[in-house]
Amino acid sequence: MVVAHHQFSSKMDLIKSLIRFLIMVPPVFVLIGAVTLSLLGFGVALAIESVFGVPRGMTYDSPLDLFNLGGHVIAGGLEFLDGWRKSAQFRLTALSAMYVGIAISALWLVCRGLAGQKRTPEDDGNCRSASRIPGLNTARRFGYWLFKEKLCLVPVLLVGSIPWLCAFSMAFVLVLFSWIPLMGYDIAKEYLHGWIVGAEHCAPVSSRQERLSMHNRNAGAERKSSEDVRITPCLSLWKGGTMIAEGRHVVSTDKYIILFDPVTGGVQLEPTDGVTVRVKGASVSELYRLIDRIDTEE
């Protein structure tokens, strides 16, 4: 009875430890995700500074701004992965990986088959002759003793590796914290060039009737792939009933709205205080007619 009670207590302690661990896991992942997204957002700020010349200190004012900036990296990364998945390079890589895996599996099976064969008398004679080599038995006994007492080497390995572990850990952290913003910078730079600078049209402003029509007949699916164009959100800023700025929306922070003018190439930073934001663009039907006319001319 005492043994059964002890086993039950041990199982309960294990379950409680597992529950505590599961409770701690979500906050840890949330913290890691928040730090990663913030670092990616900083990389986006660097990309905005590189592409549009806006100082990075003016593109974020709080951690929430960095989270918002990190969305550009997510969008650009998804676009890159989708394009890579459809490319010939991805298909070649997938086929190469499959062939390498088949070759390794075949080699492993051959080696296992050869190792399973019975030993010949010649092999046994070679082993007996090898045992007569001077010092070989001593080396074997020392290796057997060392393997048997291997736990005694743990303190030496742990204590001796502490300086190396500290050096490599600090180097890894520094590289990681510099690599994440750099990755965000590269992805966001391509995304900003492709979807803001290189976009052909502003996002359409749909009326109620156009929205209902698109929803009912799924107008987007009826468009041909050859007519695929890039559109980007465009905004007009109003204050006191007067329009003060308009352009393609780059990013918004707690203090500023950054707009890009594709005609002049100018970039405007407008304070958000007291500003009314309106979406600017052609209607869906007008935009489709414009695209059709451009495709016909080409």
Side-chain angles (χ1 to χ4, degrees):
M1 292 294 293
V2 176
V3 175
H5 178 71
H6 177 70
Q7 292 178 349
F8 179 76
S9 300
S10 300
K11 291 181 179 179
M12 290 301 297
D13 293 338
L14 180 61
I15 293 174
K16 291 179 181 178
S17 301
L18 181 60
I19 293 175
R20 284 196 294 266
F21 173 75
L22 293 176
I23 293 174
M24 292 176 59
V25 166
V28 171
F29 280 108
V30 170
L31 179 61
I32 294 175
V35 173
T36 303
L37 198 58
S38 297
L39 293 174
L40 291 175
F42 182 74
V44 177
L46 294 176
I48 293 175
E49 182 178 23
S50 174
V51 176
F52 299 106
V54 179
R56 58 180 177 273
M58 303 183 70
T59 55
Y60 62 90
D61 191 55
S62 65
L64 292 178
D65 290 336
L66 290 176
F67 294 165
N68 183 32
L69 291 174
H72 288 286
V73 180
I74 296 175
L78 291 175
E79 181 187 11
F80 169 77
L81 291 175
D82 184 65
W84 182 59
R85 181 180 58 83
K86 298 176 181 178
S87 64
Q89 182 183 6
F90 176 80
R91 292 192 292 269
L92 179 61
T93 303
L95 289 175
S96 301
M98 183 181 64
Y99 291 145
V100 170
I102 292 174
I104 293 175
S105 298
L107 182 62
W108 191 359
L109 290 174
V110 170
C111 293
R112 294 276 294 179
L114 294 176
Q117 294 179 354
K118 294 182 179 180
R119 301 177 63 86
T120 62
E122 290 79 6
D123 294 333
D124 296 334
N126 292 335
C127 292
R128 285 194 295 271
S129 62
S131 64
R132 300 190 185 97
I133 298 176
L136 182 61
N137 290 330
T138 303
R140 285 178 176 176
R141 286 195 297 271
F142 177 76
Y144 176 75
W145 172 84
L146 187 63
F147 179 77
K148 184 178 179 181
E149 304 295 335
K150 57 183 177 295
L151 293 179
C152 297
L153 301 177
V154 172
V156 177
L157 295 176
L158 288 179
V159 177
S161 62
I162 287 177
W164 297 97
L165 289 175
C166 292
F168 282 114
S169 298
M170 289 186 291
F172 174 76
V173 171
L174 290 175
V175 171
L176 180 64
F177 275 76
S178 60
W179 177 75
I180 292 179
L182 182 61
M183 181 182 67
Y185 168 79
D186 291 333
I187 296 176
K189 188 176 181 181
E190 292 297 324
Y191 179 78
L192 293 173
H193 272 291
W195 285 95
I196 297 180
V197 179
E200 290 88 351
H201 305 283
C202 291
V205 180
S206 303
S207 64
R208 175 180 176 276
Q209 189 62 36
E210 287 174 332
R211 293 178 187 273
L212 292 174
S213 176
M214 290 180 61
H215 178 74
N216 293 333
R217 60 188 180 90
N218 196 10
E222 296 177 2
R223 305 297 295 177
K224 294 185 297 184
S225 59
S226 61
E227 299 169 348
D228 185 21
V229 296
R230 292 194 174 190
I231 59 176
T232 187
C234 298
L235 303 178
S236 61
L237 307 182
W238 297 72
K239 191 171 185 179
T242 304
M243 187 178 68
I244 58 176
E246 63 178 351
R248 298 182 175 183
H249 180 242
V250 179
V251 72
S252 298
T253 67
D254 292 338
K255 294 183 177 180
Y256 298 102
I257 299 176
I258 304 177
L259 300 178
F260 169 71
D261 188 346
V263 178
T264 63
V267 179
Q268 294 177 278
L269 280 79
E270 294 294 335
T272 57
D273 187 23
V275 170
T276 301
V277 180
R278 300 180 185 178
V279 179
K280 180 179 181 295
S283 65
V284 174
S285 56
E286 184 180 350
L287 180 61
Y288 281 169
R289 285 196 298 270
L290 179 61
I291 295 173
D292 293 337
R293 186 171 67 251
I294 293 175
D295 290 341
T296 303
E297 293 175 356
E298 292 178 353

